[in-house]
């Protein structure tokens, strides 16, 4: 059996411990204890933005449109999120927190308590379904090339996959192998395969399960 490869060098933007990230906007950092009415307004605005994405696509999410959908003044939206980019980021962060909570502390097989291979299978399927549900938003909020692999949300997902791989195949180069697996969950690839190629999501889910089984040499075990 070959020796376990050394860990990859730490990127320039450390993600810290692999815990549930607090991914809110910079505006929230200045208000750690939001007043109850402000918290309600923020949730209301995010719900309005989510409805617009679902009904009309991410391009329809403007500050004016969200204000109209939430029945508030445009200034309220600007004060809470700063600009459209801040709004889209906050909307995606809201989803990211829920997904992180599911695989970090939720019920098995996605959460703790199931064998690592089962958790890997469940993680990929859940990630694919989540991306399919909010694909336009994920594409609109995609970091530029220089930040793509060091953005905190991506690094939390990467760390989680690498951790499960170390439990399932400790002799492998799990950090690099995690990048390989994460490539199949890339929103741009999902868009290409489902929208441009017309593949059903079920085929992508089956391909993920097959890839995990082949990587962990556990095909046919469940």
């Amino acid at each position: 059996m070959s020796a376990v490869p050394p860990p990859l060098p730490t990127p320039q933007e450390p993600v810290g411990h692999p815990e549930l990230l607090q991914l809110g906007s910079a505006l929230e950092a200045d208000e750690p204890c939001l007043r109850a009415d402000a918290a309600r307004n923020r949730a209301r605005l995010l719900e309005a933005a989510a409805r617009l994405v679902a009904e009309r696509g991410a391009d329809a999410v403007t500050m004016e449109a969200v204000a109209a959908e939430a029945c508030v003044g445009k200034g309220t939206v600007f004060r809470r999120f700063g600009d459209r980019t801040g709004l889209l980021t906050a909307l995606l962060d809201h989803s990211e927190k829920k997904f992180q909570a599911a695989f970090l502390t939720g019920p098995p097989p996605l959460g703790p308590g199931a064998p690592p291979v089962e958790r890997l299978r469940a993680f990929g399927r859940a990630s694919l379904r989540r991306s399919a549900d909010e694909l336009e938003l994920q594409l609109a909020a995609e970091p530029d090339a220089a930040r793509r692999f060091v953005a905190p949300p991506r690094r939390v997902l990467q760390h989680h996959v690498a951790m499960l791989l170390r439990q399932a195949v400790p002799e492998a180069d799990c950090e690099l192998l995690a990048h390989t697996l994460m490539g199949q969950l890339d929103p741009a690839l999902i868009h290409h395969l489902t929208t441009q190629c017309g593949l059903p999501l079920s085929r992508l889910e089956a391909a993920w399960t097959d890839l995990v089984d082949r990587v962990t040499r556990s095909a046919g075990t469940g």
Side-chain angles (χ1 to χ4, degrees):
M1 180 180 297
S2 59
V4 176
L8 295 177
T10 303
Q12 293 300 309
E13 298 183 26
V15 70
H17 297 294
E19 57 191 10
L20 186 63
L21 289 181
Q22 299 301 313
L23 298 174
S25 67
L27 292 177
E28 284 183 83
D30 296 330
E31 306 177 57
C33 298
L34 290 173
R35 299 187 311 274
D37 59 339
R40 284 194 297 269
N41 285 340
R42 185 177 188 277
R44 184 178 176 185
L45 292 170
L46 288 174
E47 290 169 3
R51 286 196 300 272
L52 288 173
V53 172
E55 295 171 3
R56 308 179 204 172
D59 289 343
V61 180
T62 64
M63 306 300 267
E64 294 80 3
V66 171
E69 182 73 16
C71 299
V72 300
K74 184 172 65 175
T76 300
V77 188
F78 278 98
R79 283 193 298 273
R80 177 52 56 201
F81 300 105
D83 56 19
R84 182 176 182 272
T85 299
L87 173 61
L88 288 173
T89 300
L91 186 58
L92 192 59
D93 289 350
H94 184 65
S95 166
E96 190 72 38
K97 288 177 181 179
K98 291 194 295 184
F99 185 53
Q100 288 179 16
F103 69 73
L104 288 173
T105 62
L110 182 57
V117 173
E118 288 186 24
R119 294 191 68 192
L120 275 171
R121 293 173 185 150
F123 174 85
R125 291 193 294 263
S127 182
L128 286 165
R129 288 191 291 267
R130 175 189 171 221
S131 291
D133 288 341
E134 56 185 36
L135 192 52
E136 287 193 44
L137 179 60
Q138 288 195 10
L139 291 173
E142 183 77 6
D144 59 46
R147 286 184 46 80
R148 186 175 189 184
F149 297 101
V150 296
R154 167 75 183 221
R155 294 186 58 200
V156 169
L157 302 181
Q158 178 82 20
H159 181 98
H160 181 67
V161 172
M163 177 196 72
L164 294 177
L165 285 170
R166 282 193 292 271
Q167 295 174 7
V169 282
E171 74 279 7
D173 189 338
C174 295
E175 291 184 73
L176 287 180
L177 191 56
H179 280 286
T180 301
L181 290 180
M182 288 291 294
Q184 193 161 333
L185 305 177
D186 180 75
L189 178 61
I190 295 170
H191 174 265
H192 169 67
L193 293 176
T194 59
T195 303
Q196 298 176 324
C197 298
L199 300 186
L201 186 64
S202 59
R203 183 171 172 183
L204 273 62
E205 292 180 7
W208 169 265
T209 299
D210 179 64
L211 178 60
V212 168
D213 287 345
R214 291 175 186 275
V215 163
T216 60
R217 299 184 294 277
S218 59
T221 62

